[in-house]
C-alpha cells in the first residue's frame, strides 16, 4: 500500500527544479500553474536564491506547483497511489492530486494563502522553533508554559513551537528536559492565532471554489483521519491556517492502514526523514530530482495496490 506525500514549507532549496524543467511535460504543467498563481515559478525554481524562495508568498505556490507537476510526470495515466497526504501547505497539493480541487483552483488558493500569511507574519514579530527529543507530553506542557503554541506535532520526537518572537527566544534559552530547541528561519508563527487575518483571506477565496469529493483516500492534518467530502476538506484547509499540523496522527493512520511505502514528492526528504523514525519498517522514496523518476515509478509499482 502506497502513500504519496506532499512536503510543506521549508523543504524548498534554491535551484531544486532545474533538472525537472528539462522535461517538456513538467515545464508545460509548471507554466500553466504559474499562470494560475500569477507568479514566475520557473525563475523561483531555478535561479532565485534561498532568501527569495523563503518568502512565504513565493515558497507556498512553488511547493504546491512542484508537487502537482512532479506527480503528473511520475504517475501519468498508468500509475496510481492508494493514499495521498500533505504537510501544512502540502495539503493543497494533495487536494489537487486527489481531485478535490482543480489545478487552477489549488494555485489560486495557495497564492492567496501565501500572500495572506506573509502579511500576517509581518504584522507582529513572531517565530517558530523545533523541539527535538524530550517526552512528548512534557514538551507540550513546556510549550504551553512558555506562552507558545504547538504549531506542528510531527512525530518521531519532533514538535514545532510557535508564537511571539521574544517568547521563542526565551524558550530556546530554557529548553524542556532532555530536549533541544532550534529556532527556525521562518517569517512568523504559522498555524497559530497569529495567522487569524490570513485565515479570513483564505476563507474568502475558498468560498468561491467548487470542490469535488476525493477520488483517492486523503488524510487531514487536523487529526490524521481520511476525509470523504471535498467540501469538508476545503474547510479543513481554511481552519488549518490557525491550527496545529498533526503529522504524527497522519503517520499513525498510515501505519494502522498497513502502508508499506511512502513516496515523497519533490523536494523530498523532510517527510521521509520523519517516517524513518516514526514508521519503522515502512520503505521510503524521497523524490529530489528528475533523475529519480524511473526509481520512483518502480517504487510505485512495488507498493501501490490501487
Amino acid at each position: 500500500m502506497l502513500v504519496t506525500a506532499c512536503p510543506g514549507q521549508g523543504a524548498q532549496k534554491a535551484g531544486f527544479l532545474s533538472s525537472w524543467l528539462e522535461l517538456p511535460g513538467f515545464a508545460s504543467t509548471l507554466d500553466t500553474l504559474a499562470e494560475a498563481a500569477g507568479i514566475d515559478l520557473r525563475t523561483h525554481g531555478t535561479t532565485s536564491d534561498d532568501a527569495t524562495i523563503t518568502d512565504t508568498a513565493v515558497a507556498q505556490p512553488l511547493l504546491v506547483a512542484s508537487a502537482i507537476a512532479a506527480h503528473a510526470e511520475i504517475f501519468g495515466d498508468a500509475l496510481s497511489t492508494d493514499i495521498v497526504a500533505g504537510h501544512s501547505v502540502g495539503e493543497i497539493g494533495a487536494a489537487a492530486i486527489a481531485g478535490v480541487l482543480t489545478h487552477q483552483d489549488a494555485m489560486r488558493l495557495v497564492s492567496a494563502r501565501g500572500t495572506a500569511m506573509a502579511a500576517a507574519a509581518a504584522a507582529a514579530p513572531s517565530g517558530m522553533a523545533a523541539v527535538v527529543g524530550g517526552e512528548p507530553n512534557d514538551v507540550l506542557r513546556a510549550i504551553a508554559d512558555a506562552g507558545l503554541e504547538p504549531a506542528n506535532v510531527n512525530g518521531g520526537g519532533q514538535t514545532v513551537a510557535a508564537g511571539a518572537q521574544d517568547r521563542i527566544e526565551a524558550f530556546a534559552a530554557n529548553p524542556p528536559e532532555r530536549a533541544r530547541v532550534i529556532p527556525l528561519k521562518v517569517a512568523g508563527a504559522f498555524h497559530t492565532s497569529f495567522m487569524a487575518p490570513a485565515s479570513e483571506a483564505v476563507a474568502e477565496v475558498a468560498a468561491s471554489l467548487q470542490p469535488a469529493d476525493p477520488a483517492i483516500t486523503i488524510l487531514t492534518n487536523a487529526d490524521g483521519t481520511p476525509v470523504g467530502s471535498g467540501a469538508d476538506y476545503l474547510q479543513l484547509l481554511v481552519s488549518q491556517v490557525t491550527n496545529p499540523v498533526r503529522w504524527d496522527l497522519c503517520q499513525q493512520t498510515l501505519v494502522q492502514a498497513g502502508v508499506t511505502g511512502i513516496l515523497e514528492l519533490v523536494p523530498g526528504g523532510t517527510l521521509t526523514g520523519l517516517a524513518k523514525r516514526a514508521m519503522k519498517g515502512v520503505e521510503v522514496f524521497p523524490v529530489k530530482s528528475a533523475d529519480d523518476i524511473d526509481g520512483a515509478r518502480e517504487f510505485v509499482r512495488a507498493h501501490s495496490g490501487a
Side-chain angles (χ1 to χ4, degrees):
M1 182 178 286
L2 176 74
V3 58
T4 298
C6 303
Q9 194 167 341
Q12 73 279 2
K13 295 178 177 63
F16 76 97
L17 290 185
S18 295
S19 64
W20 294 91
L21 284 165
E22 296 176 7
L23 306 175
F26 184 97
S28 176
T29 300
L30 193 76
D31 288 343
T32 300
L33 298 172
E35 184 176 358
I39 186 171
D40 185 355
L41 296 176
R42 275 183 177 251
T43 295
H44 292 314
T46 54
T47 60
S48 291
D49 59 18
D50 282 321
T52 300
I53 63 172
T54 297
D55 180 350
T56 301
V58 172
Q60 293 192 9
L62 182 60
L63 286 165
V64 169
S66 299
I68 292 171
H71 176 269
E73 195 69 30
I74 292 167
F75 285 82
D77 295 325
L79 300 176
S80 59
T81 189
D82 300 288
I83 302 173
V84 63
H87 186 284
S88 187
V89 73
E91 284 205 293
I92 298 179
I97 290 168
V100 173
L101 297 176
T102 66
H103 291 180
Q104 289 75 15
D105 282 352
M107 295 311 298
R108 284 181 55 210
L109 185 65
V110 73
S111 181
R113 183 186 191 273
T115 299
M117 290 178 74
S126 63
M128 304 176 80
V131 186
V132 181
E135 200 283 321
N137 289 333
D138 290 345
V139 168
L140 292 175
R141 191 177 304 111
I143 289 171
D145 289 346
L148 300 170
E149 299 176 50
N152 306 147
V153 184
N154 288 326
Q158 185 193 98
T159 302
V160 176
Q165 188 61 43
D166 58 345
R167 293 184 178 181
I168 289 287
E169 293 169 1
F171 186 57
N174 185 30
E177 187 176 356
R178 297 192 302 278
R180 292 182 296 129
V181 176
I182 306 167
L184 301 177
K185 295 180 180 179
V186 295
F190 303 139
H191 302 292
T192 71
S193 55
F194 279 79
M195 292 293 111
S199 184
E200 295 172 7
V202 174
E204 183 176 348
V205 174
S208 71
L209 306 181
Q210 295 184 321
D213 291 342
I216 303 168
T217 298
I218 188 168
L219 305 186
T220 172
N221 285 174
D223 59 10
T225 60
V227 180
S229 162
D232 289 348
Y233 195 83
L234 182 58
Q235 288 308 306
L236 286 165
L237 289 178
V238 175
S239 62
Q240 179 232 65
V241 173
T242 53
N243 285 285
V245 170
R246 294 302 306 267
W247 189 251
D248 61 328
L249 299 180
C250 289
Q251 292 183 122
Q252 287 180 24
T253 296
L254 296 174
V255 169
Q256 291 166 1
V259 163
T260 59
I262 297 178
L263 181 81
E264 183 180 4
L265 295 173
V266 63
T270 302
L271 301 181
T272 46
L274 291 170
K276 287 178 182 178
R277 297 191 291 274
M279 301 175 66
K280 301 294 185 182
V282 175
E283 294 185 29
V284 302
F285 194 107
V287 180
K288 298 183 178 182
S289 76
D291 292 338
D292 293 328
I293 290 176
D294 288 342
R297 289 171 178 163
E298 292 178 10
F299 188 84
V300 171
R301 292 187 186 100
H303 289 280
S304 177

